[in-house]
Amino acid sequence: MSQPSSPEGLATSSCPTADQLSAVNIVWVDIRALLPNTKEDLKLDFSEKVEESVISLLQQARDLLYGAGSLCSRSTRETCFQVSEIIIDYSWEKLNIGTWRDVDKDWRRVYSYGCLFKVLCMCSEESTIADTIRVCDMGLLMGASILDNILVRIINVLQKHLTYGKWSAEEDTKESQRKKIRNDHTTVPSIKSEEVIPRLHCPSLEHFRENYMIPQKPVILEGIVDHWPCMKKWSLDYLRQIAGCRTVPVEVGSRYTDEEWSQTLMIVNDFIDQYIMNKNSIGYLAQHQLFDQIPELKQDICIPDYCSLGEGEEDNITINAWFGPEGTISPLHQDPQQNFLVQVIGRKYIRLYSPQESENLYPHETQILHNTSQVDVEDPDLVKFPKFERAAFQACILTPGQVLFIPVKYWHYNDTFYTNAEVNCNWASGRAKENGRSN
């Protein structure tokens, strides 16, 4: 785009020409093209909840970016970098006070702007692209969208300049052998005929709505996602290629109700190495909106047509990714929306209990876990929870290409076999409300 010569615009005169630019500066030129032309266009509008001192720091970073010479001067870069670090550190404290739902969105935006200014400093000098992407991801994970989702657009530019490694044939062979060994020692639960969840092949929208969505009955749909690119493309190697350097939230431990369970942030390559390749520890990339963070992966999936039967727009459908090793467990719990669970890789044992069985499932009494049962489904303490034995359930082994419809408020328990990947779509159903069911 054209660059104004005014000091109020992104100056170019004191920087080398394109022919003289190193590879690092070529990246900076590509990134700079994403920014507004003038500092007046980079608006910093915040509510009174953000202190004036913080806004002054944001304005200082913006002025350094759009000043004479932009960030071509080392001293200017260092000053801007220091200011951005102060913004990030201060807003980080605001993000970690109280519960996440109570964090004001403006503080999340401040954090994203801090990450943006830091990234711009890193792009204009010899920082590694992977490190720069990591800062962008922190802004995406902890912040809020700014400047038309500029952090995502910056990552798209950075990835074009990133060199990916590729697995060797020897590593592929080792991975195949490891999977084979793990599969040979996995015991899959048996399912009685009266417990089996019914299956349907490509039912019409009307048939699904009248026979399953309105009466709120679970069903496995087959043949409706065979065309999704992820069904053929997704593998450990593919995820390394597309998202290896991306930072994601990981749950450490087999289930979130365990005392030793925790959460951490790490890049996908480290997650695969530590928790997928290493079968002695358990980590789970769970319930993460990965497709908003990494749009390249979103191109590999679609929204099932059946979601159109719900209320609200397509933007209101929440799509999450789940990716982990054998042994990851989701304790028995319920969710406030309809759910389509799409199995992409591996197999998963799932039990479903009707909301009418809630009294027999002993939900936790604390507010934070009120939607989770106290019972260990596969090793229940029937002395402590005697009514659990009466609870009727349905079950299945969900395999690649199958889609499980889990009605709103249905209790569900998952136990994973082998390396697995799933996609789930949560959506609201107006029909369920009309029939007296709560979302």
Side-chain angles (χ1 to χ4, degrees), residues 116-365:
L116 171 63
F117 291 131
K118 182 175 180 177
V119 161
L120 294 174
C121 295
M122 297 173 74
C123 286
S124 60
E125 60 181 19
E126 294 187 6
S127 298
T128 68
I129 290 178
D131 287 342
T132 309
I133 289 176
R134 193 170 295 120
V135 176
C136 287
D137 275 328
M138 290 302 298
L140 293 172
L141 291 169
M142 303 300 295
S145 178
I146 57 171
L147 301 177
D148 193 24
N149 226 359
I150 191 170
L151 293 176
V152 170
R153 293 186 287 130
I154 287 176
I155 290 175
N156 289 339
V157 170
L158 292 173
Q159 287 190 311
K160 294 177 183 177
H161 299 273
L162 186 65
T163 302
Y164 292 97
K166 187 168 180 61
W167 280 4
S168 66
E170 180 182 357
E171 287 172 319
D172 283 329
T173 300
K174 287 180 180 178
E175 171 65 3
S176 299
Q177 291 173 345
R178 185 193 63 80
K179 285 183 179 180
K180 185 176 187 300
I181 292 172
R182 180 174 288 182
N183 292 354
D184 290 344
H185 289 82
T186 300
T187 302
V188 179
S190 59
I191 299 175
K192 298 177 182 178
S193 58
E194 63 270 20
E195 300 167 351
V196 173
I197 298 172
R199 300 180 184 182
L200 281 179
H201 184 79
C202 295
S204 67
L205 295 179
E206 182 179 3
H207 183 84
F208 171 76
R209 181 187 62 207
E210 298 300 323
N211 293 281
Y212 295 95
M213 192 184 86
I214 291 178
Q216 293 288 274
K217 293 182 178 180
V219 64
I220 295 173
L221 305 179
E222 298 180 325
I224 70 169
V225 297
D226 294 348
H227 63 289
W228 286 18
C230 66
M231 301 309 299
K232 293 181 179 179
K233 292 168 66 175
W234 281 16
S235 65
L236 295 183
D237 192 18
Y238 178 74
L239 290 174
R240 286 183 187 273
Q241 293 286 331
I242 297 297
C245 68
R246 305 301 300 276
T247 300
V248 293
V250 173
E251 298 181 0
V252 180
S254 61
R255 63 188 81 196
Y256 64 78
T257 50
D258 291 346
E259 288 187 7
E260 64 272 17
W261 180 89
S262 63
Q263 292 178 296
T264 189
L265 293 171
M266 61 174 55
I267 64 171
V268 170
N269 275 337
D270 289 346
F271 168 70
I272 292 174
D273 290 337
Q274 293 182 35
Y275 298 112
I276 305 299
M277 305 296 288
N278 178 8
K279 64 181 180 181
N280 296 318
S281 55
I282 294 177
Y284 203 11
L285 197 167
Q287 198 169 338
H288 176 46
Q289 295 182 29
L290 187 69
F291 307 106
D292 291 337
Q293 182 187 358
I294 308 176
E296 297 95 327
L297 290 176
K298 193 171 186 178
Q299 297 172 10
D300 295 338
I301 66 169
C302 306
I303 294 177
D305 292 340
Y306 303 93
C307 292
S308 66
L309 299 171
E311 62 179 13
E313 301 297 325
E314 183 175 303
D315 289 344
N316 296 326
I317 298 171
T318 301
I319 306 175
N320 291 313
W322 307 74
F323 181 42
E326 170 190 347
T328 47
I329 293 172
S330 292
L332 187 61
H333 67 285
Q334 60 180 185
D335 296 316
Q337 290 186 306
Q338 316 276 25
N339 185 359
F340 279 128
L341 180 61
V342 182
Q343 192 71 23
V344 181
I345 297 173
R347 295 194 288 168
K348 174 170 281 193
Y349 173 70
I350 301 175
R351 272 201 205 181
L352 300 180
Y353 293 82
S354 165
Q356 280 79 28
E357 298 288 354
S358 294
E359 184 181 346
N360 298 327
L361 303 181
Y362 300 90
H364 281 272
E365 296 178 358

